[in-house]
Amino acid sequence: MRQAKLLAMLCLWLVGSGMLFGQELHSSLQLRNNHLWRGIEVASGLVYTGDIKLAYKNVYGGFWAAGNTSGSYKEFNNFVGYKHKRFAVELWDIYNFSPDATYNNTEFFNYRNNETGRFFDFRTFYTLSETVPLIISWNTVLFGRDRDLQNSKNKFSTFVSGEYPIVKNEQIEVRGRLGYSFALNNGEGEQANFFSRNAGFNEISLMLSRNLKVGDIVLPLGLWGMWNPVDNRAFLQFSVQAYSF
């Protein structure tokens, strides 16, 4: 109940701030058959993901939430970011509190590094140019449940990727992404990082998006094929965006 009240107060603050100070309020909701992230299938089933973001000039922040209809997957994240021209940097406070989690999934406000079930994800993005729209991204887990086997130190697991629009026109967009993961501070004899069991190319993705028009309604549809050579896995995602503003 306390968390619900806090969430309601945050929503009111975001809306009120946008009205009072001329900030921009954005929100979206998607439905998909799974949740894919950096070579991982985080959850499967009928998954919903949504966000609320407040932006003022180059600075923005908000929260992102997700879950599935069976209740086996639940996630709530806070984030802040800064964007200038072709460069963006973000810090995400990520908390997956799914019921079957093997870590601390019952203390949302526990920020003790060796006990918490959350983690801080530091993200950077840089687009080379308008003529070469290659997006290079460096992402590192700075804090939380990215620990060695003895729970004595953080691994600082890192995911580096490049993403490029292969086809882009008024009807369709096809994007490709290649990602490599590794740990900056692995424990002795350990090979795994937060994203895969060994360092290597753990994501090869091909993402297709297209708008479906039904009368006056436009529904953005997505198809995402993702391969993880390191963990010998592959996933396929179908998605539809319910709303966006």
Side-chain angles (χ1 to χ4, degrees), residues 91-129:
L91 181 64
W92 282 63
D93 176 11
I94 297 177
Y95 185 65
N96 183 323
F97 57 105
S98 299
D100 294 331
T102 57
Y103 48 82
N104 184 353
N105 66 339
T106 60
E107 297 179 307
F108 184 86
F109 295 103
N110 186 337
Y111 281 90
R112 291 183 288 271
N113 196 18
N114 62 341
E115 296 179 6
T116 184
R118 67 193 334 108
F119 63 95
F120 290 172
D121 191 55
F122 177 73
R123 307 177 179 183
T124 62
F125 308 90
Y126 181 72
T127 304
L128 290 186
S129 67

Side-chain angles (χ1 to χ4, degrees), residues 32-64:
R32 54 194 73 183
N33 65 303
N34 56 19
H35 174 37
L36 304 181
W37 184 64
R38 298 179 186 172
I40 305 168
E41 185 181 49
V42 179
S44 60
L46 181 55
V47 175
Y48 55 88
T49 65
D51 70 285
I52 294 180
K53 182 173 72 172
L54 188 66
Y56 178 70
K57 294 184 178 180
N58 299 93
V59 180
Y60 54 92
F63 56 84
W64 184 96

Side-chain angles (χ1 to χ4, degrees), residues 175-232:
R175 306 183 69 87
R177 182 165 63 222
L178 179 64
Y180 187 96
S181 68
F182 58 97
L184 293 172
N185 190 38
N186 231 337
E188 184 177 355
E190 294 183 38
Q191 301 296 323
N193 59 71
F194 195 86
F195 312 106
S196 58
R197 60 189 178 188
N198 288 292
F201 289 101
N202 70 311
E203 182 185 342
I204 302 172
S205 286
L206 191 64
M207 298 160 286
L208 182 151
S209 59
R210 181 168 184 170
N211 290 333
L212 175 65
K213 191 171 183 180
V214 182
D216 295 331
I217 301 174
V218 177
L219 295 175
L221 304 180
L223 177 64
W224 180 2
M226 186 175 76
W227 297 265
N228 183 334
V230 175
D231 295 329
N232 197 23

Side-chain angles (χ1 to χ4, degrees), residues 3-53:
Q3 291 183 4
K5 290 181 179 179
L6 288 172
L7 179 58
M9 291 175 63
L10 179 58
C11 290
L12 290 173
W13 176 82
L14 286 170
V15 175
S17 297
M19 293 175 64
L20 290 174
F21 302 108
Q23 297 158 332
E24 295 182 1
L25 184 65
H26 305 277
S27 181
S28 64
L29 175 67
Q30 296 83 31
L31 301 175
R32 54 194 73 183
N33 65 303
N34 56 19
H35 174 37
L36 304 181
W37 184 64
R38 298 179 186 172
I40 305 168
E41 185 181 49
V42 179
S44 60
L46 181 55
V47 175
Y48 55 88
T49 65
D51 70 285
I52 294 180
K53 182 173 72 172

